[in-house]
Amino acid sequence: MSVRTQSSEEPAEAVHRAGFACFVGRPNAGKSTLTNALVGQKVAITSNRPQTTRHTVRGIVHREDAQLILVDTPGLHKPRTLLGERLNDVVRTTWAEVDVIGFCLPANEKLGPGDRFIAKELAGIKKTPKIAIVTKTDLVDSKALAEQLIAVDQLGKELGITWAEIVPVSARTDQQVDLLADLLTPLLPEGPALYPEGDLTDEPEQVMVAELIREAALEGVRDELPHSIAVVVEEMLPREDRPADKPLLDIHANVYIERPSQKGIIIGPKGKRLKDVGIKSRKQIEALLGTPVFLDLHVKVAKDWQRDPKQLRRLGF
C-alpha cells in the first residue's frame, strides 16, 4: 500500500495538462470544503448538513503545469424522492466523463455501508483512475489515521479497486492540500488550459449567489428543512443613477419551501431569522462579486416541489 504523505522530488516535465476531477463520497465527507481549499476561494456550498450540494459546481485550480477542473457532485445516496434519483443520475454521468475520481472518506468515521455502496459503484467504472482521499485528518490522532488508511486500502483490495494513491488531507488546516493537487495533476491528459486564467468557476453568477443564500438559510435549521429549501435569483440588476465609484447591485431572490408550516421556521420570530440570512449571505455575495449589494429576499411555498417534475425544472433541477 502506498500512502502519500510528502512530495517526493520528481524531475519537472515541461508538458501542460488539463482535465476534470471529481470528488465523490457520502454526504458530509468533506468534498466541498476540499474543493474550496484547492481553489483557494469559496466556490462550493459547504454545510455541516448532508446533501446540500445540488449543482455541479466546478472549481478551477490554475497551476503553471496544469489546470485542474473540479466537479463537485452531490453525495450519492439511496434515493427516496424523484429529486434523489435525479441527483444520483447526475453523479453517475459525471463519473463517466471525468479524468480522475477522488473518493473522500472522513478520517473520524469508521467505513460504513454508505462508503461501501459508493465503492461498489466505483469498482464498476474501470478506466478512470481513482485516488482515495482520507479527509478531516485534523480531527483524529495518528493511530486512528493509520487504522483508517489501512481500512481504505483493504476496501480497495476487497472490491478490486486499484487506488492510484491513498492520501490523507485536512482541508481546514490546509495540510497536504498542495500534495493532493500534485498527485491529481499527472493523472490528467496533456493539453492547453480549458478556462481563462482568472476563472475560478464556470457556474453562472446567479447560480452561485443562489447557493450562498441557500447556505445561509440552512445555518441553524436543525430539523428536516435542508432538503426542502431551494433558492431562485429572480434578477440581478445594477441600481440606476448611481455614481460610477458607488455602484450598487440589486438582487431579488425567492427562498422556496415545501409547506406553509415551514415558513415560520425560515422567517423566525419577528422576521429575525430571515434578516440574519440576508445579512450573512449579502456579505458573502459582496465578497464573491466585489461590489456592494442590496438583497431583497422573499419566502414562498412551492408545494412538495421535490416530487414534482414540473417544479423541479422550474427550480433548476
Side-chain angles (χ1 to χ4, degrees):
M1 161 173 118
S2 95
V3 177
R4 296 298 282 260
T5 51
Q6 67 191 61
S7 200
S8 48
E9 289 301 314
E10 280 147 18
E13 293 175 337
V15 299
H16 187 277
R17 295 176 182 275
F20 293 83
C22 80
F23 294 142
V24 307
R26 59 191 159 81
N28 207 18
K31 303 181 293 289
S32 297
T33 311
L34 193 53
T35 299
N36 292 336
L38 277 160
V39 176
Q41 181 169 333
K42 186 164 193 166
V43 291
I45 174 174
T46 55
S47 160
N48 56 6
R49 311 280 309 170
Q51 237 14 67
T52 50
T53 310
R54 288 198 178 144
H55 295 278
T56 304
V57 178
R58 293 176 176 80
I60 303 163
V61 183
H62 300 275
R63 295 165 58 105
E64 270 181 38
D65 58 341
Q67 189 177 70
L68 176 65
I69 299 130
L70 300 167
V71 187
D72 191 31
T73 57
L76 192 77
H77 59 109
K78 294 204 167 118
R80 288 191 304 277
T81 60
L82 180 63
L83 175 64
E85 281 169 39
R86 288 213 183 154
L87 292 174
N88 280 359
D89 291 344
V90 167
V91 176
R92 291 194 189 93
T93 310
T94 304
W95 293 4
E97 291 169 355
V98 297
D99 301 298
V100 55
I101 296 171
F103 183 20
C104 295
L105 301 123
N108 63 328
E109 294 174 35
K110 291 238 184 298
L111 300 189
D115 301 309
R116 199 165 282 277
F117 174 68
I118 293 167
K120 277 185 182 150
E121 294 269 342
L122 282 179
I125 297 169
K126 296 292 181 210
K127 287 185 184 151
T128 317
K130 300 160 198 73
I131 286 185
I133 305 165
V134 175
T135 58
K136 308 187 183 186
T137 57
D138 54 303
L139 300 179
V140 297
D141 61 21
S142 53
K143 181 174 177 286
L145 177 57
E147 283 168 6
Q148 188 74 327
L149 293 168
I150 292 164
V152 171
D153 185 48
Q154 284 302 118
L155 180 67
K157 287 190 174 124
E158 202 181 302
L159 297 173
I161 302 170
T162 307
W163 303 120
E165 304 280 356
I166 298 176
V167 59
V169 303
S170 166
R172 293 221 182 278
T173 61
D174 227 17
Q175 211 174 355
Q176 303 229 118
V177 172
D178 287 343
L179 171 65
L180 177 61
D182 292 343
L183 298 175
L184 289 166
T185 297
L187 300 171
L188 304 176
E190 290 183 23
L194 302 168
Y195 287 88
E197 180 72 38
D199 286 9
L200 291 171
T201 175
D202 74 348
E203 279 283 30
E205 283 179 344
Q206 272 181 245
V207 174
M208 292 184 72
V209 166
E211 288 283 73
L212 288 171
I213 295 168
R214 186 163 177 268
E215 178 175 358
L218 285 173
E219 288 286 306
V221 176
R222 285 285 166 258
D223 48 27
E224 279 310 289
L225 234 52
H227 300 284
S228 312
I229 297 174
V231 174
V232 176
V233 172
E234 297 296 336
E235 59 176 18
M236 284 170 51
L237 294 169
R239 175 92 47 104
E240 287 176 16
D241 310 328
R242 296 282 292 196
D245 59 342
K246 287 198 176 153
L248 185 68
L249 187 67
D250 284 319
I251 299 178
H252 301 278
N254 291 327
V255 178
Y256 288 96
I257 45 177
E258 293 193 295
R259 293 187 294 284
S261 61
Q262 297 170 335
K263 220 169 172 175
I265 300 173
I266 288 289
I267 293 170
K270 296 188 178 164
K272 185 179 181 314
R273 212 158 168 272
L274 189 64
K275 193 178 172 190
D276 289 347
V277 169
I279 291 167
K280 185 167 191 234
S281 55
R282 194 187 77 235
K283 279 186 187 148
Q284 303 254 13
I285 294 163
E286 289 180 340
L288 174 76
L289 302 178
T291 181
V293 161
F294 172 80
L295 182 59
D296 178 37
L297 285 183
H298 293 273
V299 179
K300 299 196 169 185
V301 178
K303 201 165 170 345
D304 291 331
W305 64 264
Q306 290 192 65
R307 295 168 196 280
D308 177 349
K310 216 157 58 213
Q311 303 230 49
L312 279 172
R313 272 199 304 280
R314 189 166 66 86
L315 298 173
F317 300 110

